[in-house]
Amino acid sequence: MNRLVLVVLKNAFAVPGLYARLCRYAKHTDEYPEEEQYLFIQSILKRAVAAGNIDMQVSGTENLPQENGFLLCGNHQGMFDPLAICVSCDRPLGAVYKKELKDIPFVRQVVTCTKSFAMDREDVRQSLAVIQAVTQELRKGRNYLIFPEGTRSRSGNQMGAFHGGSFRCAVKARCPIVPMALIDCWKVLDQKGSAPVSVQIHYLKPILYEEYANLKTVELAELVRSRIGEAIRQHTAPEAP
């Protein structure tokens, strides 16, 4: 059975009420505290994780800066990645996501509640506007998630190249960057079946502005990528010869 179908079937009686409440939050975001909306979204995703036979192993949450206004940067393996991050991160955050997702039910309400931004990578002007908007939100003390690869790697635990432009908002906001290593997350929704699966999310030590102030964005991208790559190597078993 498809894992997503399994999740829906196990929560069939709860889905209408949960979705209705989520829509209410999305329609009246200014009337509810951001923390309340985020915790509700997180509770929905935790139900999905439990129903989907997903074991999440999380480490390094103590590396999240005490003050808000930081940028999370992770490798992008599959559709489950942002869900895994939301479940494992108790600090409210928005995200930069591809525009093709913005009209999907549930996703549409979640991105509204979290003040996330849709990016059209084919439109340079629109992409720059998104970077500027995220920069302003980071300066205000909101946290954001971005996948510097720009799309799913589709290569398991192997990463693609990181785009330097993804880090412009951090550089302009002079905010901490928290690298994240995602391992085996692609198995949840990007492979067939619903057998039990284990994934890993590792939050690494933040890179402060003082550490990257003199780096070009392409150099910063490589620094973040190298740290994530090292964490992936440390937490995955070597392949059999």
Side-chain angles (χ1 to χ4, degrees), residues 60-96:
T61 53
E62 70 277 3
N63 288 321
L64 294 173
Q66 292 186 354
E67 294 186 4
N68 289 321
F70 56 82
L71 185 70
L72 291 176
C73 295
N75 56 309
H76 197 6
Q77 296 193 326
M79 294 183 291
F80 182 66
D81 298 350
L83 283 67
I85 294 164
C86 182
V87 169
S88 61
C89 180
D90 290 333
R91 307 279 285 279
L93 69 150
V96 177

Side-chain angles (χ1 to χ4, degrees), residues 123-143:
D123 186 334
V124 175
R125 180 174 296 181
Q126 191 270 352
S127 297
L128 291 175
V130 168
I131 292 297
Q132 183 61 32
V134 174
T135 300
Q136 294 301 322
E137 294 297 327
L138 286 168
R139 287 172 176 166
K140 293 177 184 177
R142 299 196 73 255
N143 311 313

Side-chain angles (χ1 to χ4, degrees), residues 63-200:
N63 288 321
L64 294 173
Q66 292 186 354
E67 294 186 4
N68 289 321
F70 56 82
L71 185 70
L72 291 176
C73 295
N75 56 309
H76 197 6
Q77 296 193 326
M79 294 183 291
F80 182 66
D81 298 350
L83 283 67
I85 294 164
C86 182
V87 169
S88 61
C89 180
D90 290 333
R91 307 279 285 279
L93 69 150
V96 177
Y97 65 100
K98 61 182 182 179
K99 67 179 181 67
E100 289 81 3
L101 300 176
K102 66 184 181 68
D103 293 324
I104 298 176
F106 181 76
V107 174
R108 180 171 62 248
Q109 287 77 27
V110 168
V111 298
T112 299
C113 290
T114 57
K115 296 183 181 178
S116 296
F117 294 97
M119 177 177 283
D120 182 356
R121 294 190 179 274
E122 303 300 321
D123 186 334
V124 175
R125 180 174 296 181
Q126 191 270 352
S127 297
L128 291 175
V130 168
I131 292 297
Q132 183 61 32
V134 174
T135 300
Q136 294 301 322
E137 294 297 327
L138 286 168
R139 287 172 176 166
K140 293 177 184 177
R142 299 196 73 255
N143 311 313
Y144 274 85
L145 162 68
I146 195 167
F147 294 110
E149 288 165 284
T151 188
R152 290 175 282 167
S153 66
R154 300 184 184 276
S155 300
N157 293 322
Q158 301 298 316
M159 289 185 292
F162 278 22
H163 301 290
S166 299
F167 296 91
R168 289 175 183 166
C169 54
V171 173
K172 291 182 177 180
R174 300 188 175 188
C175 72
I177 298 171
V178 182
M180 296 175 301
L182 305 180
I183 299 174
D184 292 337
C185 286
W186 62 275
K187 295 180 179 180
V188 177
L189 296 176
D190 290 60
Q191 71 175 11
K192 295 180 180 180
S194 57
V197 62
S198 180
V199 305
Q200 300 178 48

Side-chain angles (χ1 to χ4, degrees), residues 65 69-71 139 167-178 206-217 220 223 227:
F70 56 82
L71 185 70
R139 287 172 176 166
F167 296 91
R168 289 175 183 166
C169 54
V171 173
K172 291 182 177 180
R174 300 188 175 188
C175 72
I177 298 171
V178 182
I207 304 173
L208 303 181
Y209 177 71
E210 291 75 17
E211 186 177 351
Y212 68 78
N214 296 322
L215 298 180
K216 297 178 181 179
T217 53
L220 177 55
L223 172 64
R227 294 194 180 182

